[in-house]
Structures are given as structure tokens and as C-alpha cells.
Amino acid sequence: MSLIVLIGVTGSGKSTVARELSERYGLALHETDAAVEARLGASMHSLIVQRDPRLPDTAREEADRLLSLDEGIVTLGASQPLDPATASSIDRARANGAIVVELSADLSAVSRREGLGAPRSVGLGAPRAVLTQLMKQAREAYASVADATVDTSERTPQEVAELVACACKLTSDY
């Protein structure tokens, strides 16, 4: 067994699928966002909204620490693979046998999961247009570090977990 690393945009299902895999295969689950929250004593939402200056370095350090583990499941924040230092940590983890799986989702699925279809003030701009651009940039970075990609758009978490398990050779059905 080795380390499984899940990457993907916000709303792609990383946390949900990681919990499913953890329960199904008895693997330890390590979420970088949770590690950052524990270390800084605040929710990720408040750290981002308040633009906490400690956030980037702490996120980078926690990702590096978790990516150095020998076994388990690690989820990275959506923007972490775009950071050059974290991308290097991902490369080191892969060199040590980690398998990196990108969970992808189309704009419609992400919008639905993240509640972007809800009524909002016009002053907030066009979140779907911004998200489309961010997703495009992220996919390019993810492609450079992922060993496999699983589209979660129209699949249940259980179906996605099964596909990830096959990609990581956790099942004999590959």
C-alpha cells in the first residue's frame, strides 16, 4: 500500500471520496485544509476571507508534511498543486510511490455542489465565469502531476471511490 493523493477543484468531491475510501479500505485520512485549520486555530473560510498572512506558508508546510507520509489518503486544497513548492512535494511523493488522482467535474456539477445557482447580488460579478477560468488554469497544473483522472460530474461518491480504487490498484478489478 502507498499514499493516495486526491487533487481537484473545489466541489469535485475530494473530501467525500476520501472519506469513502478511508472507510472502505481502512486507510488513514489526512486533509490539508483540516491540518491547516488545526494548526492556525481558525476555519479555512475565515483564514481566506481575512487574508491571514500565515495561510500560504502553513498550507505549503502542511501539504509537504502530509505528502511525506508512507500510507493513507491525502487531500490537497484546490489551489495547492498550482504552488511550485507544493508541486515539487507532489513530485517527491510520486517518486516514493504515491499515486495522484485528479477528481474532475464539469462547471455544471461544481456550480450545483457549491451553490452557485442561488440568487445573488449583481454586484458580486459573474462567479461562474471566474470559476470557469480558474478551473481551466487548475486543470493544466493538475495534468502535470496526476497519474489518473476520474470525472465525478455524473457519478455517486461510491462510484468515484471504486474508480479511484481501481486506478490505485486497491481492488483486483483492474
Side-chain angles (χ1 to χ4, degrees), residues 3-84:
L3 193 65
I4 297 169
V5 181
L6 298 181
I7 61 174
V9 297
T10 300
S12 63
K14 297 180 302 287
S15 295
T16 302
V17 171
R19 282 190 297 274
E20 177 71 24
L21 288 167
S22 175
E23 291 172 14
R24 189 182 289 191
Y25 296 100
L27 297 169
L29 173 57
H30 309 279
E31 295 190 86
T32 55
D33 284 357
V36 169
E37 289 173 343
R39 187 164 150 194
L40 296 181
S43 72
M44 189 59 72
H45 176 76
S46 68
L47 292 166
I48 292 169
V49 169
Q50 295 173 7
R51 294 188 173 138
D52 190 306
R54 303 170 298 166
L55 180 57
D57 288 339
T58 303
R60 191 175 296 116
E61 291 163 8
E62 288 301 322
D64 186 58
R65 180 180 68 80
L66 295 175
L67 289 166
S68 69
L69 297 173
D70 293 327
E71 185 175 289
I73 302 167
V74 171
T75 63
L76 295 177
S79 64
Q80 287 187 289
L82 285 72
D83 174 69

Side-chain angles (χ1 to χ4, degrees), residues 90-112:
I90 294 169
D91 287 340
R92 279 193 303 280
R94 289 175 71 203
N96 290 327
I99 300 168
V100 180
V101 179
E102 174 197 1
L103 300 186
S104 69
D106 60 31
L107 179 62
S108 177
V110 170
S111 295
R112 183 177 65 252

Side-chain angles (χ1 to χ4, degrees), residues 121-167:
S121 167
V122 175
L124 293 176
R128 287 176 67 107
V130 171
L131 182 59
T132 299
Q133 184 59 33
L134 291 173
M135 288 173 67
K136 182 178 184 254
Q137 291 171 346
R139 292 292 317 273
E140 292 169 6
Y142 298 160
S144 69
V145 296
D147 297 300
T149 299
V150 175
D151 186 348
T152 69
S153 300
E154 301 296 326
R155 294 186 169 114
T156 67
Q158 295 76 21
E159 291 169 331
V160 174
E162 186 63 31
L163 291 170
V164 171
C166 288

